[in-house]
Amino acid sequence: MIVVLRATAGPNEALRLRDWLSCAGFEVATTHDAGREVLVASAIGEPQPDTVSRLRADPAVERVVPLERPYRLVARMARDTRTVLVGDVVFGGGEIVVMAGPCSVESEDQITAAARHVARSGAKVLRGGAFKPSTSPYGFQGLGVTGLVLLRDAALESGLLTVSEVMDPREVDIVARHVDILQIGARSMQNFDLLKEAGASGMPVLLKRGMSARYEEWLLAAEYVALAGSERIVLCERGIRTFEPTARNTLDVTAVPAVKSLSWLPVAVDPSHAAGRSDWVPALALAAVAAGADALLVEVHPRPSESVKDGVQALDPAAFDDLMANLRLISRAVGRSVSTVPETVS
Ligand code: PEP
Ligand code: MN
């Protein structure tokens, strides 16, 4: 909170209030505004409930402005830990979690080949859309429940977890029954009914940043999910709309350290939808990990040229292997790691 003293309050009054705030469990910094002393008091632990009213009643105080951020459950200060556990996969720990797979589930052959390959390279989660947002009503909108079944079976065979998008609050239940993580897409970040329904399911949620969303709006979207019942949320930066049209979006690398300083939630980066072309994806993925990202969501297709959706930004298996090798180098440089090929997968 900010405590603005009256212009008439002298140095002794300021000293008295500073001492009182320190004794009441606040860390006090002092600044000046138009000649008045302003105390910026941050609570250490849980302050007394009557602190604000007592300050307001003090003759030396002109006004008290509570400075709480609007989100609470997902705020950095709300927790000491930063991890989210999904099955046996830890997001936000020492190991960077790689989620990889095609934009959309297209066929059994396609998703099985993708799953086998990304598992062999060290990915932990298989991605694949079954309910797809499409800008054009004529575009591919996914295989629906059939796609979810194919995704789940391919993942099970390769020992992977799954993540897939849900767009409609009425479909949360069916998607939740097939996947390990519900993805909420950029276009749905402020679909508040969807956020509430996803939270109420208790499922882990991968929450993409809306393409024009500010950090606070993104964190408030996460707060909706947390408030509704699931605090297992992983944020995902996927590029924002800027004035630059060359890339599909502009990857906001700043979001990684910025949001991690505001929230305890792990942060993933999707370099594929940011770059929009496969040859730029590795650089963005490496930058994300160097900046402190906890996870990556990467589009990989066994045969990108045959892809029904987003083929131009999909890595082929060889490019994905190269990326994983380079990710291991970068992650080591920043004190993290990327899982290696499990012994059981050959
Ligand atoms: C996706 O991951 O397939 C997707 C549609 O992403 P976004 O919501 O970020 O556009
Ligand atoms: Mn896509």
Side-chain angles (χ1 to χ4, degrees), residues 88-100:
D88 59 353
V89 172
V90 181
F91 288 85
E95 199 169 271
I96 287 144
V97 179
V98 178
M99 301 176 277

Side-chain angles (χ1 to χ4, degrees), residues 35-50:
R36 293 153 195 238
E37 192 145 0
V38 177
L39 307 178
V40 182
S42 329
I44 314 160
E46 199 61 36
Q48 296 290 321
D50 61 347

Side-chain angles (χ1 to χ4, degrees), residues 82 84 90-93 95-100 125 127 163 181 183-184 205-209 215 218-219 233-239 251-257 259-260 263-272 274 284-285 287-289 291-298 336:
R82 285 185 166 276
V84 160
V90 181
F91 288 85
E95 199 169 271
I96 287 144
V97 179
V98 178
M99 301 176 277
V125 182
R127 65 149 290 150
V163 59
I181 305 169
Q183 178 173 325
I184 295 188
V205 171
L206 181 70
L207 180 62
K208 294 259 190 130
R209 177 184 181 188
Y215 301 151
W218 189 16
L219 290 171
I233 304 162
V234 177
L235 299 167
C236 184
E237 161 64 36
R238 44 77 75 202
L251 180 66
D252 178 14
V253 181
T254 309
V256 178
V259 165
K260 287 182 76 166
S263 171
W264 61 267
L265 295 176
V267 178
V269 166
D270 170 350
S272 306
L284 302 193
V289 168
D294 300 299
L296 291 171
L297 182 72
V298 187
R336 314 277 295 265

